[in-house]
Amino acid sequence: MNSRGTRALMGFVAALAIIISGCGNSSNSSNSSNGSSGSQTGQMSMMVSDDPMNDWAEIGVKVLSISLTPQGGGTPVVVYTAPTPVNMINLVELDQLADILDSVSVPAGTYTGATVTLGANPGDVALTASSDPDTGFAGTAGASVSSSQIQIVGATGTAGSLTVPLNVTFVSPVTITANQDSGIDFEFNLSHPAFIVAHPQMTASQTLWAVNFSPALRHHPIFDITRLVLRHLYGSFVSVSSDNTSITVNRVFPVEPPTNPETDVPSSRNLTILADKANGTLFYDMDAHTHSTIMDFSSVASDLNNKFLRIAARFQADGSLVAVRIWVSSSFNTVWLSPEGHVRHVLSSSLVVDNEDGVPVTVNVDGNTQFFFRTPANPSADAKSFCTGTACLSDLVRGFKVHVTADPLQNPLLAQTVDIEIARFDGVISSPGMASFVYTRNFVDFHDDYTETMPYISSGTPNGNDPQSGKPITGFKWWNFAFPTLQDNNTIQGDNPVPDFISATGGSVNFGGSVGAMPVVGASFATRNDPAANTQGWAAPWTVLAPTPVLLAKVATGWVQNGTSDSFTMTVTGGANQVTVDASAVPGSATLVYQVDRTNGIVTISPVDLTTPAGQNTVQTNLTVNTLVKVFGVPQSNGTIKAYVFFYFTGTTMPAS
């Protein structure tokens, strides 16, 4: 099963397109027409993003097309078609990031949903385990999974042309206004327990991995594109504007899985990138081993011909892209050969980062290494390093998403810059109080363990918008993993986010024996230097309460229906106590249930709808004494588990672990 990381907001914006995740805010236009409206068009972006993962270094997918569904019916409007050859996207590298693909013109009108089509042929999905996965991971550390062991749920079509069409209903209709930028945000949740389901046997080579895209993709509105953190983009130089304020690059993509040396996959899509005339753009010439700060491109234009570029960019409010930092070289491999991935180990003078092959790369840090924290909504902070030298390493923990720039001629690599793109803290939540709480995270390698006190951001700090009402939020907010649109924040009448959070994190479940207590866990993507909360460190703008995975269990007493609140009890190996699992059958917030059957080497994952009599009867029939179950839930103060999702296993071959 997946690790217990959680997913937060991901973004997709206007003006330039990106892949599986979507765009930003839906416009409140006066255009009330249904569907498209003649030849008038507006600009929209397509993006891809993902969720944090400890278990995987690569989850590669091929996005073939994206189309929008007009309100009131009509022909779907295709807004993205993959280039030839289709580039593979590693979702793991898009941890809360968006990857720009293209700018598209969309017929003005109102749209109620979308269809995202993925490739489903052998080789269209690539899985490579991380070098140091969480305890209980069913695969082999650092190993690539054979395509014969990957089963893509929902594949349709004929051999060689298999696809998975994913239908997404928007939270609220999205209106595209003529001659204006707008966007749509799809949230692709890699940590959804039903996304990648392992059906393990005695050896890793016998394990089948069922990839179930459907429950992991959903729409989420984004209200401010300037807060969107973009993944570094790659391009080949095309031209510089006559006034030297911008350059045009042809979008290129690295080959996935990576080759040695890495090569580029060109596209037909161009992007315009502005220099940061207010704060300056840091410009690194990787061939000449020089760097400078530029306010426009006049001083470097003559050096860009036939060059490849890696660009850290941010969106402005009007949808234009501004370069924060640029790296250039005549070799694509040179600009690419800079470890990008999640931090595996933080040592006294180096970082270990997983690359896309699942191989740990050690990068040394010296007194000249500059550390940046990506804060695109604050351009002046985004443009400046917050720390220099080995002392900065104390600010990092395992799980951060970073992109390191290193001199490829040095062995071992020496970091010149470290971009912290996502500062993720997660683990067991304890000591919740009115000013802070504590994260405790333990790993297989105890050297990576940490205990971090997390102050809340101040009550007056802007913190996005409520996903239901669109009202601006200030101060700390939190939500349950299952329901990101149902936030506890200060815009909701009756909500008191911090006291409510203290109450929600006070529960515990005790299995007894050698298993013991099941804690409350969560995750936060921290921000730095909130003036009223924590002047010199990390603070939590939000927390997601994650469903804790319970050990593989057996049903002790079967399914009991009780209106909209149902339950069963279970035991785990090594535990002395039966524990009650509560499930909700309330439409819109019902517990997710999946039947996992393995017969004759084929794994089938079937969702069961608890809100229907048929679903209740199915669970009643199958959830009998000694049935194997896998539960993900949140401990409650009464000693029960509030289940977000549970699986029960059927068939002729049972899981071994």
Side-chain angles (χ1 to χ4, degrees), residues 162-214:
L162 294 171
T163 64
V164 177
L166 303 172
N167 296 318
V168 181
T169 300
F170 295 156
V171 172
S172 58
V174 172
T175 299
I176 305 299
T177 305
N179 304 315
Q180 292 188 15
D181 293 333
S182 59
I184 301 168
D185 170 22
F186 300 113
E187 183 177 80
F188 205 65
N189 187 349
L190 301 192
S191 286
H192 193 292
F195 175 46
I196 301 178
V197 178
H199 204 293
Q201 293 301 294
M202 297 308 295
T203 67
S205 63
Q206 296 175 329
T207 298
L208 294 180
W209 299 89
V211 182
N212 188 19
F213 289 104
S214 181

Side-chain angles (χ1 to χ4, degrees), residues 235-241 244-250 271 273-275 281-288 290 292 294 296-311 323 325-332 335:
S236 59
F237 176 73
V238 175
S239 63
V240 63
S241 63
N244 291 310
T245 59
S246 68
I247 57 173
T248 299
V249 298
N250 176 248
L271 297 176
I273 313 289
L274 295 165
T281 295
L282 293 176
F283 187 89
Y284 299 87
D285 188 322
M286 303 293 288
D287 297 332
T290 61
S292 59
I294 61 174
D296 60 39
F297 292 99
S298 58
S299 61
V300 298
S302 61
D303 299 326
L304 292 176
N305 290 324
N306 302 315
K307 295 291 181 68
F308 291 98
L309 302 90
R310 174 163 57 92
I311 303 171
R325 286 177 289 286
I326 297 176
W327 296 264
V328 301
S329 174
S330 57
S331 163
F332 180 78
V335 295

Side-chain angles (χ1 to χ4, degrees), residues 113 192 256 262 322 335 350 404 412 506 516 528 531 552 632:
H192 193 292
E256 291 283 356
E262 181 62 297
V322 172
V335 295
S350 63
V404 179
R528 282 193 68 81
L552 191 67
F632 295 74

